[in-house]
Amino acid sequence: MLASRYNEVLVVFSLIVAILASYTALDIAGRVSTAQRGARLAWLAGGALAMGTGIWSMHFVGMLAFSLPIELGYDLWLTSASLLIAIASSTFALWLVCQRELPWPRLAMGASLMGAGIAAMHYTGMEAMRMVPGIVYDPAWFALSIVVAVLASGAALWIAFRLRWHSTWVVFSRAGASVAMGCAIVGMHYTGMAASQFPEGSYCGAANSGIDTGWLSILVIMAALSVMATTLIISVLDSRLEQRTASLASALSKANSELMQLALYDNLTKLPNRMLLADRLGQAIEKARREHKVFAVLFIDLDGFKAINDAYGHHLGDLLLVEVTQRIRGSVRGQDTIARLGGDELILLTEIGEPTDAAKIAGKLIETIRQPYSIEHHELFVSASVGIAVYPDDGLAPHELLVNADAAMYHAKEQGRDGYCFFENSMNANAQEQLRLLQDLRHALERDELRLHYQPKLIAPDGPIIGVEALLRWQHPERGLLSPDQFLPLAEKTGLIVPIGNWVLDEACAQIQRWRAAGHTSWNIAVNLSASQFAHAKLIDSVRTALQRHGLEAHNLTLEITESTAMRDADSSLAVLEQLAAMGVGISIDDFGTGYSSLLYLKRLPANELKIDRGFVNELGQGGDDAAIVSAIIALGRTLGLKIVAEGVETPEQQKHLTRLGCNLLQGYLLGRPMPAEQLIECYGETPA
Ligand code: C2E
Ligand code: CA
Ligand code: CA
């Protein structure tokens, strides 16, 4: 047998190349697994090429390290074939580890195939020497080399499969695994070489093919290294890019979801807002249409919420609203939608079997909301008015259902609040009627259709008259005489109240001046101010102008503002009231007892009159707490030095009772209804003070 020798430097190089090839293979395996669909194929092809070239060049460098005492050479075609075999088995191996799963049978089969591939590459490469006579293989070593190839491949596949995913520690474990794999590949090669024996007198058939082995080794090493280096660099860059893209994408999706949250949910209650509601409503309609189902839209509006907001501030109002929505959420089913339209308006979408179900749900909601609230040490009460529209009977489109539920809710309010109402077609007609009424109201002033009626205020128990309250009427050309409740809310909503209010002020001053001229010099006239008039910047000017124009003194005029108006924006209200009081105008707090005035605040108001709300007067004598409340109000007013007026006196019992309780002035149908000026002077004109 010929004695063989190894060039140690080249052996070390073959090991380095094997380790690098392994590292490249593991890295690419990770790359293929995480790459996007389109890039996968490119990475698989490029990776197989780099890995195949790597393994092959390890083998080839190993061959070049080997020398016999005879001249050696390599057949170009067989050498190329061995390279192709290396690339093919690499492709297969990479493809295998990039599958979602790698069960043991598949791993075993893969290891066998890949081991066979590497062995085939090795022995084809050996054949490229074209030894004559042929190489003699020691069967035991030959078998061992195959076993090593299969085991090394199995280990490599398993490690590659486990290390597919990127993570921080993966670089280190990958490096360790590469060393192990490199050693295994090299081990296979040198076991295979140990199996080969070259009989004495052999010569190399490829020795004269002309490829110089010295240059060839350098060329192969350089080529293999550069292929692998390029692959690795691209892989690192690509993974960086991918990580950046991924982190950008996640930042973007986070920002996006925050934006969605802001755009679609109410900030305070975290309930869906109007926009999301429209979407949910659309979906509900779609579903109900498909499955022939029925669902209800409940329009929930809180009663008395505004008063609480005015009295305790927005912060407390907000807390209350959150509490209310939590109660609602607790009393409905999970699949129902609750949304906030804004303010204290909430919507509940709920699937029902029949309309009576909606009534049950509404009743339950109202009951839940009505329970007292304890917020920041205040005990608060609100109730809710609920309007119900049912799909498909009350509307087929989202907007229609909402508008109709809204109309039904208004109806519930009109019927005394704290209850629910189903939508009826007549309510819709009502909305259109309101629109027409508004158009008419815009012309009411210029067409001189507004009137003032006057209701006497008498000293308790039955006179004499000390003044009148001016109450607005609208002589509508078709509808007849309308009371303020029928058109003032509309005027308030549209701002028409300001010119109308100025007209009232002017007309009331003109009238009292006429009566004064007729001898009723002590009569005082009271004019009502609504909230938006009170908030209007020119109020003080308007009052002064009206007084001057009719030559009146300020104390001839009293302005009535409701308790809740005075409380609305307590500090600025106080400033306006103080200016009016400084002018000498009388200030009367109207509808007293219905708001949430704090006594402390009341004490600071420059008022000189309290009007007990007619709700209390009405209940008087029917037992209950009202007598106690009225006497408390009277006692309170007395301490603050205020005149007490009871309004809405309808029966002699009330008249007696109120007088006994200590009211100074009485006003009501019993003593005199609101009436035109001429009629008033007929009834009360004979006894000038
Ligand atoms: P208010 O200031 O509380 O006026 C008293 C209301 O009670 C009047 O209704 C009057 O007709 C009614 N009333 C008087 N005595 C009795 C009685 O014995 N029993 C009953 N059940 N009711 C009685 P009216 O005239 O319909 O006015 C309603 C509200 O409209 C007024 O409530 C006031 O807040 C507002 N208002 C009236 N005129 C004007 C105005 O010129 N400007 C403004 N801003 N508001 C006005
Ligand atoms: Ca009044
Ligand atoms: Ca009143």
Side-chain angles (χ1 to χ4, degrees), residues 589 592 597-605 610 636 640:
I589 308 297
F592 191 79
S597 299
S598 79
L599 295 184
L600 225 61
Y601 179 67
L602 192 65
K603 206 174 137 200
R604 286 167 64 201
L605 285 181
L610 270 192
L636 171 73
L640 296 175

Side-chain angles (χ1 to χ4, degrees), residues 244-261:
R244 266 201 29 211
T245 316
S247 80
L248 259 177
S250 89
L252 206 68
S253 93
K254 194 169 154 241
N256 211 21
S257 72
E258 273 168 14
L259 257 177
M260 289 280 272
Q261 175 78 26

